[in-house]
Amino acid sequence: MEDADIALVVALSEEFETIKGAIGLSPYKSEDGIEYFSVSDGATQCKLVAYTTNEMGLVPTVCATDMLLDRINPKWLISIGLSGQLSTDCALGDVVIGTDCDLAFSEARLSVGGIDFAGKPYEVPGLQDFHKTVNLKKYLQGREPDIPLAAQKALDERRLWRKYPHIHSGCICSTDFVVDNPKAKALLLEKNRRYLCTDMESAALVSAARKRKFAGRIAVIRAVSDPADGTKKKIDELAGRNTIRHYAMRNAATLLKHAIIEVAGNAEEQNR
């Protein structure tokens, strides 16, 4: 088994290409779909590995997590990717640090009366202390996407936009389907009003790692890229296709760089 400072599990190649571009990653080798990187800022260096499933969903994420942990022993295991907005506190382009993740429909019961939810969130303490002690917002100041002012105004009227992105920490909801209509969104918020955003991977990674008794640190970083209410296509028409997705993912990659990669590199330097 090979040691590494950081291991990423990413669903889509689109997401990982944005991460590589934002951080300046270039692999020095690739084996069985796992890419290996050496990240350095001149003074510090850390080893990062990444696996892109090229599939959204809970099962592909569990399989990818198991496969990666069979081969790699990382200090940090990270799920990073795009998400849909659930809380009105989150605007498009904001970044969410998961403090707990919920497999929303785990052990749920479909009955004549509706859905009886069960299960409980998995705690993700990886970035809690760092978020409390470091002003992460400073890394995103001045970050604006190149979208028309008319689009920004229209999104602002819907409370989906702010001049600069914010960083939130809280509960993330994971489902095995894309949430893209108001009824599904309302159903999830009925289960838990604390949900900030929804994805199809993060809780599965945390669950798989917990079952393996993974001893390293786990982090979940999510970029809010759409309102999860069926209006994504209209927003793309206003802002430009995939413009907001790329902008949001770039913000998440920036947080990854400053909150984890630099910390891992500094820790490695101190241990020498």
Side-chain angles (χ1 to χ4, degrees):
M1 183 175 287
E2 195 168 348
D3 290 336
D5 294 297
I6 298 165
L8 304 181
V9 177
V10 187
L12 303 176
S13 57
E14 166 204 357
E15 295 168 330
F16 193 48
E17 287 303 315
T18 301
I19 293 170
K20 288 195 289 187
I23 298 175
L25 296 176
S26 179
Y28 62 83
K29 71 173 179 177
S30 179
E31 294 179 353
D32 299 324
I34 301 175
E35 292 188 272
Y36 295 76
F37 304 86
S38 180
V39 188
S40 174
D41 63 3
T44 62
Q45 185 169 313
C46 72
K47 182 177 180 180
L48 182 150
V49 301
Y51 184 79
T52 304
T53 65
N54 287 311
E55 290 183 84
M56 297 188 297
L58 304 178
V59 173
T61 302
V62 169
C63 294
T65 303
D66 280 336
M67 183 275 294
L68 200 57
L69 292 180
D70 280 341
R71 305 182 184 203
I72 305 295
N73 178 36
K75 296 174 183 175
W76 284 88
L77 176 64
I78 300 168
S79 172
I80 181 170
L82 298 168
S83 66
Q85 177 222 49
L86 291 181
S87 171
T88 54
D89 290 339
C90 297
L92 303 184
D94 284 2
V95 181
V96 175
I97 295 172
T99 57
D100 45 324
C101 292
D102 191 358
L103 282 165
F105 290 91
S106 174
E107 301 180 43
R109 179 180 178 184
L110 298 177
S111 64
V112 175
I115 299 177
D116 297 321
F117 289 103
K120 63 180 181 180
Y122 295 91
E123 186 179 2
V124 190
L127 278 172
Q128 283 181 330
D129 293 339
F130 191 84
H131 185 255
K132 292 175 183 176
T133 59
V134 177
N135 179 19
L136 294 175
K137 291 181 181 179
K138 70 180 182 180
Y139 297 117
L140 301 183
Q141 291 304 303
R143 177 68 59 79
E144 289 187 81
D146 184 20
I147 69 171
L149 291 176
Q152 294 187 40
K153 182 178 179 181
L155 293 173
D156 183 58
E157 289 173 354
R158 290 183 56 192
R159 298 183 61 190
L160 290 173
W161 192 253
R162 52 173 58 100
K163 186 174 182 180
Y164 301 129
H166 287 190
I167 296 171
H168 311 265
S169 61
C171 191
I172 295 173
C173 159
S174 293
T175 66
D176 213 14
F177 53 85
V178 175
V179 178
D180 196 30
N181 73 68
K183 288 184 179 180
K185 185 173 180 175
L187 179 66
L188 292 174
L189 288 172
E190 183 180 323
K191 179 182 188 292
N192 190 342
R193 290 285 170 186
R194 293 176 52 244
Y195 287 153
L196 294 178
C197 62
T198 177
D199 68 17
M200 297 174 66
E201 295 86 26
S202 59
L205 176 139
V206 177
S207 173
R210 291 281 184 257
K211 287 178 181 177
R212 294 179 63 105
K213 295 182 170 49
F214 174 65
R217 302 184 74 177
I218 302 173
V220 173
I221 300 173
R222 277 296 177 274
V224 180
S225 62
D226 70 86
D229 63 0
T231 61
K232 178 183 177 299
K233 185 176 179 180
K234 185 175 291 186
I235 290 173
D236 272 351
E237 291 173 355
L238 283 170
R241 181 174 172 79
N242 292 331
T243 298
I244 291 178
R245 287 170 66 87
H246 179 72
Y247 164 66
M249 198 64 229
R250 194 158 48 96
N251 293 340
T254 299
L255 189 148
L256 169 68
K257 177 182 178 181
H258 294 291
I260 297 177
I261 292 176
E262 290 183 356
V263 172
N266 288 328
E268 186 70 20
E269 181 71 16
Q270 291 170 6
N271 291 332
R272 289 176 183 172

